Amino acid sequence: MKYYIIVGEASGDLHASNLMKALQKKDVNAEFRFWGGDLMESVGGTLVKHYKDRAFMGFSEVIFNLRKILGLISFCKKDIAQYQPNHIIFVDNSGFNLRIAKWAKKEGFKTNYYISPQVWASRASRVKDIKRDIDNLFVILPFEEAFYEKYNYTVNFVGHPLIDAISDRTQVSEKAFRKEYNLNEKPIIALLPGSRKQEITKMLSVMLKMVDKFKDYQFVIAGAPSQDFEFYKPFIKESDVKFISNKTYDLLSVSYAALVTSGTATLETALFKIPQVVCYKASNISYQIAKRIITLKFISLVNLIMDREVVTELIQHDFNPKRLEKELTKILDNKYREKLFLDYFELEKKLGGKGASDKAAGLIYNSK
């Protein structure tokens, strides 16, 4: 069968690539055409647009790039119509994907959504559109099934694909890793400032203010695959800061603690059992709009899944050097760390175990 897959960022590229591999096992004749990234391209098929070409963050950034986004939506519809896939698979990226889904359903295409839009966080009214436009919805967070039940919409909880991605990775030797990247013997504090330019600009300079305050530790920036080192270079003033690109999982596996920009990375860090401080800062316009439409108690997936505060969240004005120093000191304390590790193990249990990609692939393939 022919599959058309639409992804909008690095995490989607990872999960879609694993879904493609699972589909290939179910369907020996699988053909892929996709909007995605390098990981999907390595599986095979035709890359139409790279996610780097449309990495817009926040409300104001989307507005400033509206003409380009509308042009991409128009192009995507034409490309799907020409390809005539048996299945369209949307992965996260709701702002773009739900617009395509509305058109695709009317055109008679089979629509599948892997990794539900976060309608439980804001604008729950979108559930009506999802029910209308999506034939099969696959959710990866345990509380999402109950959320959709309130709207009489049956969805498929397949577990979280990060568990597979992390458990299937090739393990690295800490000694070899330190040697390869010229790291000293100090415990590592990983800095994960996000993947988009706007995020990195707002997050990294504050994170790096911790370097002089914690001289017994080695700070290492996790470079996103979507950005070159040249973009990070102006932020790095201290000699005791290292930069490692596109090796976030390897870095986390050898880290002692982490400062993490809110998003999928908070859950990844938790699954590696690394104590973390969750950080987030947007433009003032984006933050003021978000405050009015997002109804959640927490912003990190760790706290949302556990339905209580497990990791500290420093949001907007709370994300400042003084608070960050205090919270980083806390997660370096052994007593705090012991409790956090127990919470992390409970979190992993709630996520439903391995096999998310395989379950989703089977359901898609069998819904001919």
Side-chain angles (χ1 to χ4, degrees):
M1 288 195 291
K2 295 161 72 174
Y3 303 90
Y4 197 101
I5 307 173
I6 307 174
V7 160
E9 58 188 2
S11 62
D13 181 35
L14 170 65
H15 301 322
S17 69
N18 288 328
L19 179 63
M20 289 164 69
K21 291 173 191 173
L23 281 167
Q24 285 176 331
K25 292 176 185 176
K26 311 281 182 191
D27 181 2
V28 294
N29 298 311
E31 295 178 20
F32 301 112
R33 188 172 177 86
F34 51 87
W35 295 45
D38 300 340
L39 295 175
M40 295 171 73
E41 194 169 24
S42 70
V43 177
T46 302
L47 174 64
V48 181
K49 290 281 184 183
H50 203 288
Y51 66 79
K52 291 179 185 178
D53 296 334
R54 50 196 192 93
F56 307 115
M57 173 196 168
F59 302 99
S60 58
E61 290 82 9
V62 168
I63 290 168
F64 293 142
N65 289 281
L66 192 56
R67 185 185 293 273
K68 182 178 181 181
I69 293 168
L70 292 174
L72 289 169
I73 288 171
S74 177
F75 173 79
C76 185
K77 291 175 181 177
K78 290 174 185 173
D79 197 55
I80 292 171
Q82 187 173 0
Y83 186 60
Q84 288 293 304
N86 301 97
H87 286 276
I88 301 174
I89 303 171
F90 304 101
V91 182
D92 206 356
N93 194 222
S94 62
F96 189 90
N97 279 338
L98 288 178
R99 286 171 173 78
I100 301 297
K102 181 178 181 181
W103 167 85
K105 183 65 176 178
K106 286 179 182 176
E107 294 295 312
F109 291 106
K110 191 80 172 177
T111 56
N112 306 271
Y113 216 122
Y114 181 49
I115 306 178
S116 164
Q118 294 181 351
V119 289
W120 38 266
S122 66
R123 295 186 291 153
S125 59
R126 289 179 294 170
V127 174
K128 180 182 72 174
D129 297 337
I130 294 171
K131 284 180 68 174
R132 180 192 65 211
D133 300 330
I134 302 300
D135 294 312
N136 300 303
L137 179 61
F138 307 103
V139 302
I140 63 172
L141 299 172
F143 59 79
E144 290 179 308
E145 263 189 313
F147 170 82
Y148 281 108
E149 275 179 17
K150 294 188 296 186
Y151 297 89
N152 298 312
Y153 186 31
T154 301
V155 301
N156 303 282
F157 174 57
V158 295
H160 205 293
L162 278 179
I163 294 177
D164 290 342
I166 290 171
S167 64
D168 293 344
R169 60 181 283 276
T170 303
Q171 301 293 321
V172 297
S173 155
E174 180 173 351
K175 185 177 179 181
F177 185 83
R178 286 179 180 272
K179 184 177 180 182
E180 181 179 357
Y181 294 103
N182 195 29
L183 303 178
N184 59 40
E185 294 303 312
K186 295 177 183 178
I188 294 170
I189 296 177
L191 304 181
L192 280 64
S195 59
R196 300 180 177 99
K197 283 185 168 67
Q198 298 98 325
E199 282 180 320
I200 297 164
T201 300
K202 287 183 169 60
M203 310 304 298
L204 189 54
S205 57
V206 179
M207 290 179 175
L208 287 172
K209 289 184 186 300
M210 299 302 103
V211 176
D212 288 337
K213 299 176 185 298
F214 294 86
K215 291 190 176 292
D216 292 334
Y217 295 86
Q218 166 87 77
F219 286 78
V220 183
I221 300 167
S226 55
Q227 308 298 339
D228 297 324
F229 173 64
E230 290 304 312
F231 179 75
Y232 295 87
K233 201 172 177 181
F235 297 97
I236 304 172
K237 313 291 185 191
E238 299 84 354
S239 59
D240 198 29
V241 174
K242 299 294 183 181
F243 174 88
I244 300 176
S245 181
N246 201 19
K247 293 286 181 182
T248 301
Y249 283 7
D250 290 348
L251 174 60
L252 284 173
S253 73
V254 300
S255 292
Y256 190 73
L259 306 180
V260 187
T261 296
S262 180
T264 306
T266 63
L267 187 54
E268 291 171 318
T269 304
L271 290 174
F272 275 99
K273 311 299 185 293
I274 305 302
Q276 64 182 299
V277 181
V278 177
C279 312
Y280 187 75
K281 189 168 189 176
S283 69
N284 192 51
I285 295 172
S286 295
Y287 176 67
Q288 292 302 327
I289 294 171
K291 260 182 38 172
R292 286 158 176 75
I293 67 170
I294 294 176
T295 56
L296 301 173
K297 289 187 290 184
F298 307 108
I299 64 166
S300 72
L301 284 171
V302 176
N303 291 344
L304 285 168
I305 293 165
M306 295 293 281
D307 196 28
R308 58 187 172 86
E309 185 177 271
V310 171
V311 293
T312 299
E313 300 176 349
L314 300 181
I315 305 170
Q316 207 66 4
H317 302 300
D318 286 334
F319 178 58
N320 60 66
K322 187 176 180 181
R323 279 295 308 277
L324 190 57
E325 180 182 1
K326 177 184 175 185
E327 297 303 330
L328 179 52
T329 301
K330 186 194 296 183
I331 65 171
L332 297 175
D333 176 74
N334 282 333
K335 264 192 180 174
Y336 180 87
R337 293 168 69 85
E338 286 171 13
K339 180 183 180 304
L340 188 57
F341 292 145
L342 292 174
D343 286 334
Y344 279 168
F345 282 113
E346 184 183 341
L347 169 75
E348 190 165 353
K349 281 184 187 175
K350 284 178 176 281
L351 289 174
K354 293 181 65 176
S357 302
D358 190 62
K359 289 172 196 168
L363 290 165
I364 292 169
Y365 177 67
N366 290 316
S367 65
K368 300 174 185 177

